[in-house]
Amino acid sequence: MVGSVWVALGLSLTCISALSLLSPAWFQTPTFSFGVLSYCSWPQGDSWNQSCGIFRSLDDIPDFAWKVSAALLLGGWLLVAFHAILLLSWVLAPKELCPRRGSGKMRGVQAAAATTTVLGLLAFPIGLASPFAKEACGASSVYRSGQCQLGWGYVTAILNAVLASILAVIRWPRTTKVQGRTIRFSSDTGKIILMPEGRK
């Protein structure tokens, strides 16, 4: 049961991360929006008639800080996806095959994903000083969006980073069987000492 919850959280985090990464709505004006990997424009008052484009490679991305952000965010997404797939394999595999499920280094993978994502989120607004962003947002500069407003894609990416950080801190409960009873440990260093009963 606990494993299924962790898998659901991991897979939903992967999907949310991919959605925010591909979203063109990180910063937007009434006629233009852009994100890490895509951008869209539309006529004034007609947002249903959008024309969108993507940055096909790092060379197409207009600013160095933006490129760093894209690489970090993509790396964070890959780590989150790897973590979710590994959790799924642990839940589906027989217990004899994976006796130490969800412990040790996998928490480190989740922490690395969260850290990488946060660094990517911090690097992206530096790209607001690029000519591309200045053309779209007017008087934008580092960490100042000018006439652009914060879009749902960036907010979703921030929430994703917060959830990834929380999941990195929360542990998969560790259990063991002693005399037919399941005992939960609070940490990897927790121990139980069994003493033989004394004779009276």
Side-chain angles (χ1 to χ4, degrees):
M1 173 69 180
V2 174
S4 300
V5 171
W6 278 97
V7 168
L9 288 172
L11 291 174
S12 62
L13 198 62
T14 302
C15 293
I16 291 170
S17 179
L19 177 69
S20 64
L21 187 63
L22 296 173
S23 164
W26 283 42
F27 288 96
Q28 55 193 21
T29 66
T31 60
F32 190 79
S33 68
F34 62 93
V36 177
L37 300 175
S38 58
Y39 56 91
C40 290
S41 63
W42 56 89
Q44 183 76 28
D46 187 14
S47 61
W48 291 101
N49 189 15
Q50 293 186 4
S51 173
C52 297
I54 60 170
F55 301 115
R56 296 191 183 275
S57 69
L58 284 179
D59 292 334
D60 296 341
I61 296 176
D63 186 59
F64 179 73
W66 203 331
K67 291 176 186 182
V68 169
S69 175
L72 287 170
L73 289 167
L74 186 60
W77 178 80
L78 289 172
L79 286 171
V80 167
F82 173 71
H83 186 256
I85 290 169
L86 195 56
L87 285 174
L88 182 63
S89 69
W90 276 339
V91 167
L92 297 177
K95 287 185 180 181
E96 298 81 28
L97 202 58
C98 304
R100 289 187 49 120
R101 297 169 188 244
S103 63
K105 295 182 174 116
M106 285 317 299
R107 191 173 54 183
V109 171
Q110 185 66 37
T115 304
T116 306
T117 303
V118 168
L119 289 173
L121 289 172
L122 291 174
F124 185 73
I126 296 171
L128 290 172
S130 70
F132 180 89
K134 286 186 179 193
E135 184 180 334
C137 300
S140 65
S141 62
V142 175
Y143 290 104
R144 294 200 175 266
S145 62
Q147 297 169 350
C148 287
Q149 297 177 351
L150 199 60
W152 65 266
Y154 195 60
V155 173
T156 304
I158 291 169
L159 291 174
N160 181 53
V162 169
L163 289 174
S165 300
I166 290 171
L167 286 179
V169 173
I170 297 174
R171 295 197 40 108
W172 180 312
R174 190 166 163 238
T175 61
T176 189
K177 293 246 184 211
V178 175
Q179 294 180 355
R181 293 181 151 175
T182 300
I183 299 174
R184 295 189 184 273
F185 288 98
S186 60
S187 71
D188 281 339
T189 59
K191 293 182 176 145
I192 295 177
I193 300 173
L194 299 175
M195 303 288 290
E197 290 184 28
R199 296 184 185 211
K200 295 184 181 180

